[in-house]
Amino acid sequence: MNKGLVAALAVVLTPVLVIVIVIAGVAGMNGAPAAVKCGIGLSATTVDGEPVEIGEWDSTQVANAMTIMNAAADLEMSRRDQEIAVTTAIGESTLRVLDHGDEAGPDSRGLFQQRDNGAWGTYEDRMDPYRSATNFLKALKNLENRDSLSITEAAHRVQGNANPNHYADSAEQGRELVAAILEADGNYTVGANNASDTNCAAAAGAEGIPNQGTLGDPSTDIACPEGSTDLGVHDGAYQGSVVPIRLCSIAGTVCTGSDCRAGDLGGLARGEVVINARFAPYFQAWLASVREQGHDPSFSSSFRSWASQSRISGGGSNANAAGAGKSHHQTGAAVDVSGLPGSYNKHQCTGTAPDGACMTSGALWTAMHATGLQHGMTVHDQEFWHFEFMLSGDHRGRSNPFAQL
């Protein structure tokens, strides 16, 4: 561990969490946007320095946090999993190996206050920092869609605390302590624009990401980014009104739906995702990041013309479709993903993510959703396959999906 950095680490442990947003490109710029990971799926790093006092944490507490982090690394889990586990131990024991429980669980022991119910091993296991952390992390690893859960919710699902919000007060401390330990170990720089930061859900409108108010604006003067083909200006629609938008065909994608197929859009479509030039760079960055995580999604729909939306809605071929002029597909700001598990009908969610997204199972959806939040994209609140750059369901009382998770 680089001890020279330790004195500066107390500055990091402040009550304010800075959300770092890494945006790879803006509309009209040349150069394909670089992939942005924001820590989703980033491998946990082993730390092997000497534990010392960091901020409010003494060397014993720091040593326990390091042990938890190393258990996650040994299980080939992620940086975010390290944060979840350290947060949980802070909330349960303030990172001390307790040889007592509390009124709710008098048989609870150790860093994670694990019960004597057979699920967490022997007394010796529960009192051993590494073994107790390993057992916690194995249970965490079995959570489906855990990267789409807030740190608080993930911790609660493993622990089953009587208060589902018990870990909320510890989440910021957990993230900051993990970052401080990694910095002291030479694996991270606090305060830099780190592509490995894990809490960087992008606020719509921040750092160039278009906000809700731009949906009705023409994009005729915005150039298609490198890595796409300019299909010219066409009629889009927003809230029932026609809006002229420039459309870009994204190279290397596969889209089978109306207005994607070759021969549509006046013979210009190429069987690729067709998207508004305003959103094209952010779509490219999102897709590059998803592909970095080992996935290559295909799409069943992207931009839809007024004629296409009229044909499939109102008793047409798609019972889910909004009426003509009312769909985000017509703004060129939405795509439908093919091949996800589940029924492609509304209200077939396996659950609701913290941002209000309709969930389905599987690693592909998890990667797309979590990465989407870094690029101003979210998922419809009733359709797990519908990804878009603006919020659907605000009129149904859905909360802001780009709030800090």
Side-chain angles (χ1 to χ4, degrees):
M1 181 178 285
N2 185 345
K3 296 181 181 179
L5 292 173
V6 172
L9 292 176
V11 177
V12 176
L13 302 177
T14 65
V16 178
L17 175 65
V18 178
I19 300 178
V20 179
I21 302 171
V22 183
I23 298 299
V26 296
M29 289 184 66
N30 292 324
V36 181
K37 294 185 78 171
C38 270
I40 302 301
L42 190 72
S43 296
T45 301
T46 298
V47 289
D48 55 11
E50 178 185 350
V52 295
E53 180 178 332
I54 295 178
E56 66 184 277
W57 310 105
D58 64 30
S59 60
T60 298
Q61 292 169 301
V62 171
N64 287 330
M66 292 172 66
T67 298
I68 293 168
M69 293 169 66
N70 287 336
D74 290 346
L75 289 170
E76 298 182 339
M77 297 179 74
S78 73
R79 157 82 180 280
R80 190 169 190 270
D81 294 327
Q82 289 177 314
E83 294 177 340
I84 293 169
V86 170
T87 291
T88 304
I90 290 173
E92 291 289 354
S93 66
T94 62
L95 289 170
R96 298 191 184 279
V97 181
L98 301 180
D99 195 13
H100 61 81
D102 57 19
E103 184 176 350
D107 58 345
S108 299
R109 295 292 185 275
L111 283 176
F112 293 88
Q113 286 292 278
Q114 291 160 332
R115 303 293 299 272
D116 185 18
N117 56 14
W120 306 105
T122 65
Y123 168 80
E124 289 75 19
D125 292 333
R126 292 181 291 138
M127 291 295 291
D128 182 273
Y130 184 84
R131 294 203 297 271
S132 63
T134 297
N135 286 332
F136 172 87
L137 288 159
K138 286 180 176 178
L140 176 65
K141 202 170 187 178
N142 287 331
L143 286 184
E144 190 172 26
N145 295 320
R146 71 181 185 275
D147 282 334
S148 294
L149 303 174
S150 66
I151 288 177
T152 300
E153 175 65 14
H156 170 66
R157 290 197 186 186
V158 175
Q159 295 292 95
N161 196 290
N163 176 10
N165 296 313
H166 176 73
Y167 307 98
D169 292 338
S170 306
E172 183 177 325
Q173 292 177 301
R175 281 191 296 263
E176 290 180 340
L177 181 56
V178 168
I181 290 172
L182 287 172
E183 178 171 55
D185 210 52
N187 292 299
Y188 184 78
T189 302
V190 172
N193 285 349
N194 294 292
S196 59
D197 282 339
T198 59
N199 191 55
C200 46
E207 297 293 325
I209 292 179
N211 60 31
Q212 189 82 29
T214 67
L215 283 173
D217 294 341
S219 59
T220 55
D221 295 332
I222 299 176
C224 290
E226 183 177 331
S228 69
T229 300
D230 189 337
L231 302 185
V233 174
H234 297 265
D235 285 345
Y238 179 61
Q239 295 185 350
S241 298
V242 172
V243 179
I245 57 176
R246 184 172 302 281
L247 296 177
C248 309
S249 185
I250 306 299
T253 57
V254 175
C255 182
T256 60
S258 179
D259 297 311
C260 294
R261 295 188 299 269
D264 288 351
L265 282 177
L268 297 175
R270 303 157 53 93
E272 299 170 336
V273 166
V274 177
I275 198 162
N276 191 326
R278 188 182 302 280
F279 306 102
Y282 308 107
F283 176 86
Q284 288 177 315
W286 168 76
L287 182 61
S289 187
V290 170
R291 285 173 170 170
E292 269 204 349
Q293 297 171 60
H295 306 286
D296 192 12
S298 58
F299 303 87
S300 61
S301 186
S302 54
F303 169 77
R304 294 179 191 155
S305 67
W306 193 289
S308 295
Q309 194 70 30
S310 298
R311 184 176 65 252
I312 67 174
S313 64
S317 61
N318 188 339
N320 299 306
K326 300 294 186 180
S327 171
H328 279 329
H329 284 284
Q330 292 185 259
T331 67
V335 294
D336 290 342
V337 179
S338 305
L340 293 169
S343 171
Y344 274 64
N345 288 296
K346 283 186 177 180
H347 308 294
Q348 298 300 306
C349 317
T350 60
T352 301
D355 66 297
C358 174
M359 298 173 68
T360 194
S361 59
L364 172 59
W365 187 92
T366 298
M368 290 189 300
H369 171 252
T371 305
L373 290 175
Q374 303 151 20
H375 298 282
M377 292 183 73
T378 184
V379 179
H380 195 278
D381 63 332
Q382 298 176 354
E383 301 172 354
F384 58 77
W385 61 89
H386 178 101
F387 287 73
E388 62 183 34
F389 281 94
M390 297 299 141
L391 173 63
S392 275
D394 51 344
H395 59 290
R396 293 187 286 270
R398 182 178 178 185
S399 60
N400 177 9
F402 302 108
Q404 179 177 314
L405 299 180

